[in-house]
Amino acid sequence: MSEIRSPPPDRVLEIVLENVLHFLTCRRDRNAASLVCRSWCRAEALTRSDLFIGNCYAVSPHRATSRFRRVRSLTVKGKPRFADFDLLPLNWGAHFSPWGSALADAYPWLEKLHLKRMSLTDDDLNLIARSFPSFKELVLVCCEGFGIAGIAAVAANCRLLRVLDLVESVVEDADEDEEVMDWISCFPDGETHLESLVFECVECPVNFEALERLVARSPYLKKLRLNHYVSIPQLYRLMHRAPQLTHLGTGSFCASDDVAVGDQELDYSSAFAACKSLVCLSGFRDILPDYLPAIYPACANLTSLNLSYADVNADQLKPVILQCHKLQTLWVLDSICDEGLQAVAATCKDLRELRVFPGNTREEAEGPVSEVGLEVISQGCRKLQSILFFCQRMTNAAVIAMSKNCPDLVVFRLCIIGRYRPDPETHEPMDDGFGAIVMNCKKLTRLAVSGLLTDQAFRYIGMYGKLLRTLSVAFAGDSDQGLKYVLEGCPNLQKLEIRDSPFGDAALHSGLHHFYNMRFLWMSTCKLTRQGCQEIARALPHLALEVIDSQEDKADDHIEILYMYRSLDRPRNDAPKCVTILQ
Amino acid sequence: MAKEGLGLEITELRLGLPGGDSSASKKRVFSEIDGGENGSSTERNKNAVVGWPPVCSYRKKKTSSKMYVKVSMDGAPFLRKIDLAMHKDYSDLAFALDNLFASYGIDAENCEQVPIYEDKDGDWMLVGDVPWEMFIESCKRLRIMKRSDAKGFGLQPKGSLKGFIEGVKN
């Protein structure tokens, strides 16, 4: 037996440090630890197993994998959020391929991959499927570029797969003459390790018999979210196969086309009674409201309910919501009206997160929800932490009321659909309402503003929004001063997205001291010129300024879109023609 | 919320001669349904501004207000379902209902059927009496019943068979 040599003295401390650092899980803590000295930086790099890349272009794959050698779980985010609203040209970038090859080389032991707003192909998915024998978890959120073939490859080859979550991603249909691949049948036979299977966004029919068999042989399955090709009778069968489910996406929640007259319709509520552990319900993609009462047996235990794809009115909602005493998260369509919100406020005393989406996106004078609904929610749901509220009309008074009634608010996103709309009662701008939010909600980190807003609103934000990390602005402000207030006043600002607001080069210039601390800045249809952006680029060499213009050879120097982010590496070389990168 | 049609039919471009229902070359079961006022549903979801309001294009596609209701026809062995949001007026609906049950060999020449619907209050009403937008908001289910049964069905006074008889004459 060879002699065991004790490590050299300076290594002892590092080994101790590594052992201690293993217990640090929060990435912000780890970032701080890595700044202490070189030795700590090395030790931290060796012990970081969860790597988070907030912007895929901030750092090259090579740089990331060289520093962090033992990563088991990786998160990468790509396109800026405004891509969701079709503001970014197609083929802009965020291609996964370079990351894929780097990961295959550096981390053969990779277990988890979370991608958001990335573009990945079937080949990329094939690579993932074949390169990582320990692969357990794939989560794709708002991704695009791949199809069923890629998913099938993952299903077939990742034998230890626990999580396959496809969320709000565009899964491309097969060509007309190709048959839709049956990806469900690609999972290997025998018992699976599946804990979560989410495929609501997959726009193709699934082989139901294969799905039923898969669910039957997945004893660890807790989360199942079906696409709208699964009908309610099929759901019934699946639920009886998997009574241990905690999270369920119900698929269409509608009968398939032919229901025989005189056939007794199945007692769907028995399925919900059988799944005693259900805490989260979503789906209801093509709901026939007749069927909604089937979920009653699950209501008392629900902590999360997503009805945001279901056109449900107040009368249909009430009998459901009045049983949901434990609800903490609720997503709905505004079809429930202020009256529906009243019912929510009366019952859901533990509500933490509310999202009210618009059923109709036209800019109209009246809508089904208004300041009345916001105010009742603020009175009834005092523990509210996060709200996203689309409406056609809102008053300062209601927003001020919410700022006082809900001091725990961390996220406040109000979208008054009519642009430049003032307070309909006082005809004043909405400055005071948002001012009250930043003033009274001391924990606020994310804010989205709307309605008629002057520079005064931004003065409030700069003055009081000290913890603000994310700010979304649209059709607001009077002058450069507005943006100046924010850039000079908000030291924690990391993500700033602005559209159609009169902020120009002078305003941009006022943020020079802060841009390296930000993940990104987006400004579209503002008053920026190429010259102004060039000056920023010269002043800050580690900033990538992407100027995106659909028209070439424009008469004036004004630019359409500026997308700006810090980057440790050379400008990317995968940008389309309409993108110019200033550096 | 009920919205009145904008009465824009007269400005509507259509193929064929003005006046009359251009799509009815044969007598249809439901040709007597009043064409009514054309809704403004072509205006639906038309926004001049790209990406506003900030709703994910994914969600915008999905939430195109589907309004499924069950449709039963006396004598047919199966229930069907129909998405009211897919149709812009009563003629459109009539056409769709024809197609839906055509496979059951319903004789188009035979106008023994009457379309009725159950509204939000649980009352059964004759299809075609109220403006289209009001109809789709309140319709919970559709039934195509034998005309002979309809008389004794207790339809609300609002809905009368008079309109149907007049329609038959056209």
Side-chain angles (χ1 to χ4, degrees):
Chain A
M1 192 164 118
S2 61
E3 212 181 282
I4 299 166
R5 287 186 293 146
S6 46
D10 54 342
R11 269 295 288 158
V12 172
L13 209 55
E14 275 192 13
I15 291 167
V16 169
L17 188 60
E18 281 168 35
N19 280 308
V20 171
L21 286 177
H22 271 299
F23 293 99
L24 267 189
T25 48
C26 166
R27 68 173 188 267
R28 291 197 179 94
D29 290 343
R30 285 189 155 269
N31 292 347
S34 70
L35 293 173
V36 169
C37 64
R38 269 194 227 283
S39 158
W40 278 53
C41 186
R42 256 196 320 267
E44 192 284 311
L46 285 173
T47 56
R48 191 181 297 221
S49 59
D50 284 13
L51 184 58
F52 175 87
I53 307 286
N55 175 1
C56 63
Y57 290 122
V59 61
S60 69
H62 176 75
R63 183 186 287 266
T65 56
S66 302
R67 176 172 168 187
F68 301 102
R69 304 281 186 153
R70 300 195 195 145
V71 169
R72 285 204 307 269
S73 162
L74 177 70
T75 301
V76 185
K77 295 189 177 183
K79 302 176 204 173
R81 197 178 71 97
F82 274 11
D84 292 351
F85 317 129
D86 301 324
L87 290 177
L88 203 61
L90 292 173
N91 214 29
W92 170 83
H95 300 291
F96 179 72
S97 304
W99 286 92
S101 9
L103 295 175
D105 276 336
Y107 309 136
W109 47 76
L110 191 72
E111 292 178 9
K112 300 183 192 180
L113 192 56
H114 288 219
L115 302 177
K116 186 169 185 179
R117 293 197 189 94
M118 295 289 291
S119 186
L120 67 164
T121 62
D122 284 340
D123 286 342
D124 291 328
L125 284 170
N126 254 298
L127 181 82
I128 293 167
R130 290 169 211 282
S131 307
F132 309 114
S134 310
F135 200 69
K136 295 192 171 79
E137 206 170 294
L138 181 65
V139 177
L140 302 177
V141 182
C142 299
C143 295
E144 45 77 26
F146 62 98
I148 301 290
I151 307 171
V154 172
N157 293 295
C158 302
R159 306 250 146 183
L160 299 178
L161 199 65
R162 288 194 204 156
V163 174
L164 179 58
D165 286 358
L166 307 167
V167 181
E168 286 190 31
S169 296
V170 181
V171 184
E172 263 148 19
D173 293 345
D175 287 335
E176 284 295 308
D177 46 355
E178 273 176 44
E179 248 183 54
V180 175
M181 198 182 283
D182 176 8
W183 61 279
I184 297 282
S185 295
C186 292
F187 282 97
D189 292 329
E191 203 176 84
T192 76
H193 299 268
L194 280 176
E195 295 171 16
S196 176
L197 181 62
V198 173
F199 62 94
E200 281 169 319
C201 60
V202 174
E203 279 297 323
C204 319
V206 285
N207 176 342
F208 179 71
E209 286 72 35
L211 178 61
E212 192 174 4
R213 284 194 302 272
L214 179 67
V215 168
R217 65 180 194 275
S218 302
Y220 307 108
L221 194 66
K222 291 284 196 300
K223 296 189 189 183
L224 179 64
R225 296 196 168 124
L226 309 162
N227 68 12
H228 68 97
Y229 287 92
V230 179
S231 67
I232 197 170
Q234 289 174 333
L235 172 69
Y236 175 89
R237 296 174 66 96
L238 292 175
M239 288 176 76
H240 278 293
R241 290 280 188 188
Q244 76 280 6
L245 286 175
T246 57
H247 295 63
L248 176 67
T250 64
S252 70
F253 219 64
C254 189
S256 49
D257 275 334
D258 297 330
V259 178
V261 169
D263 255 12
Q264 210 160 32
E265 283 236 65
L266 296 162
D267 176 18
Y268 298 119
S269 65
S270 72
F272 285 90
C275 294
K276 298 187 194 307
S277 310
L278 275 180
V279 292
C280 176
L281 271 184
S282 60
F284 308 104
R285 296 273 163 156
D286 293 323
I287 188 172
L288 212 55
D290 294 0
Y291 291 128
L292 198 52
I295 75 170
Y296 289 167
C299 289
N301 283 327
L302 282 186
T303 55
S304 173
L305 179 60
N306 182 352
L307 288 168
S308 65
Y309 291 98
D311 210 312
V312 164
N313 63 31
D315 288 329
Q316 290 157 344
L317 177 77
K318 277 189 208 171
V320 171
I321 213 74
L322 291 175
Q323 301 181 59
C324 298
H325 295 274
K326 288 194 190 163
L327 212 59
Q328 293 184 13
T329 301
L330 177 64
W331 292 22
V332 284
L333 268 188
D334 62 4
S335 56
I336 65 164
C337 301
D338 287 331
E339 193 187 336
L341 291 171
Q342 169 80 65
V344 173
T347 316
C348 307
K349 296 304 177 189
D350 228 6
L351 201 67
R352 311 293 161 110
E353 178 179 326
L354 175 67
R355 296 197 192 189
V356 180
F357 292 94
N360 176 354
T361 53
R362 286 188 292 170
E363 297 182 41
E364 299 184 323
E366 295 294 326
V369 296
S370 68
E371 70 273 9
V372 172
L374 191 77
E375 187 142 8
V376 300
I377 287 287
S378 80
Q379 280 161 11
C381 307
R382 297 298 176 113
K383 297 188 194 169
L384 205 61
Q385 291 171 2
S386 171
I387 184 163
L388 170 63
F389 197 89
F390 284 85
C391 57
Q392 297 285 355
R393 55 173 281 152
M394 185 53 57
T395 60
N396 280 306
V399 178
I400 293 168
M402 177 156 271
S403 77
K404 292 181 180 159
N405 292 333
C406 305
D408 290 340
L409 276 175
V410 174
V411 174
F412 184 81
R413 300 159 69 190
L414 175 63
C415 181
I416 303 167
I417 297 174
R419 294 163 291 147
Y420 308 110
R421 202 164 279 173
D423 181 325
E425 306 268 302
T426 64
H427 307 292
E428 305 250 295
M430 295 300 295
D431 300 340
D432 287 346
F434 287 103
I437 290 287
V438 286
M439 214 186 317
N440 298 329
C441 301
K442 312 236 189 285
K443 303 180 191 173
L444 201 76
T445 59
R446 183 170 179 183
L447 179 68
V449 299
S450 59
L452 180 67
L453 293 167
T454 71
D455 286 346
Q456 178 64 17
F458 298 100
R459 184 164 159 264
Y460 287 137
I461 293 171
M463 221 188 303
Y464 298 106
K466 296 306 176 188
L467 294 184
L468 218 54
R469 293 210 292 265
T470 306
L471 178 64
S472 302
V473 177
F475 305 100
D478 302 319
S479 71
D480 282 345
Q481 188 56 60
L483 182 54
K484 278 188 190 172
Y485 283 135
V486 170
L487 289 172
E488 286 165 4
C490 300
N492 282 297
L493 198 61
Q494 285 173 15
K495 299 188 258 187
L496 181 56
E497 32 184 50
I498 304 174
R499 64 167 292 180
D500 294 273
S501 300
F503 307 134
D505 299 335
L508 192 63
H509 206 265
S510 65
L512 276 176
H513 67 288
H514 187 63
F515 290 145
Y516 277 158
N517 294 329
M518 291 180 65
R519 186 172 309 162
F520 73 82
L521 169 76
W522 167 291
M523 286 176 70
S524 58
T525 322
C526 296
K527 291 194 149 100
L528 297 174
T529 68
R530 189 172 286 249
Q531 173 67 23
C533 294
Q534 194 66 68
E535 280 169 22
I536 306 285
R538 265 188 234 116
L540 298 173
H542 291 297
L543 221 53
L545 281 89
E546 297 199 7
V547 171
I548 304 168
D549 254 314
S550 53
Q551 302 157 282
E552 291 180 17
D553 302 328
K554 282 163 58 182
D556 64 30
D557 202 25
H558 279 96
I559 62 167
E560 267 179 49
I561 302 173
L562 170 69
Y563 178 54
M564 185 178 90
Y565 51 89
R566 62 188 170 188
S567 178
L568 289 174
D569 290 298
R570 268 194 302 264
R572 64 189 181 108
N573 56 7
D574 61 353
K577 262 190 70 179
C578 55
V579 176
T580 313
I581 304 180
L582 310 173
Q583 249 208 349
Chain B
M1 245 184 348
K3 280 183 267 197
E4 292 294 319
L6 298 177
L8 291 172
E9 316 86 86
I10 201 161
T11 61
E12 208 179 70
L13 292 174
R14 24 167 123 210
L15 295 172
L17 297 170
D21 189 346
S22 54
S23 54
S25 51
K26 61 170 184 165
K27 189 156 181 27
R28 294 182 291 117
V29 179
F30 306 119
S31 56
E32 62 265 29
I33 297 174
D34 188 357
E37 294 150 306
N38 281 324
S40 51
S41 40
T42 40
E43 291 279 312
R44 196 174 288 161
N45 293 330
K46 206 173 91 173
N47 252 313
V49 185
V50 175
W52 186 262
V55 176
C56 293
S57 44
Y58 180 84
R59 187 173 278 282
K60 258 185 180 153
K61 265 190 290 175
K62 296 289 118 191
T63 331
S64 44
S65 335
K66 295 198 180 188
M67 294 164 128
Y68 280 116
V69 294
K70 287 186 191 170
V71 189
S72 60
M73 177 184 265
D74 290 3
F78 289 101
L79 293 176
R80 304 305 296 272
K81 68 179 195 290
I82 197 170
D83 180 3
L84 293 179
M86 291 283 287
H87 305 288
K88 57 178 175 39
D89 56 31
Y90 284 115
S91 326
D92 214 22
L93 176 66
F95 199 71
L97 288 174
D98 262 348
N99 287 337
L100 212 54
F101 290 100
S103 48
Y104 299 123
I106 306 298
D107 187 357
E109 294 298 313
N110 176 358
C111 21
E112 287 301 316
Q113 270 94 358
V114 160
I116 59 174
Y117 71 99
E118 186 182 357
D119 75 359
K120 277 200 270 222
D121 303 320
D123 298 322
W124 286 91
M125 319 274 281
L126 218 52
V127 169
D129 274 351
V130 301
W132 174 252
E133 294 282 355
M134 197 185 286
F135 167 69
I136 59 175
E137 292 286 323
S138 60
C139 173
K140 271 175 41 181
R141 108 185 52 242
L142 278 166
R143 180 177 162 187
I144 299 155
M145 79 186 303
K146 294 203 173 82
R147 189 183 288 278
S148 48
D149 290 342
K151 275 198 179 132
F153 198 67
L155 288 167
Q156 293 299 303
K158 241 196 291 184
S160 71
L161 292 176
K162 186 165 166 250
F164 279 86
I165 295 163
E166 279 178 0
V168 166
K169 284 185 184 161
N170 288 341

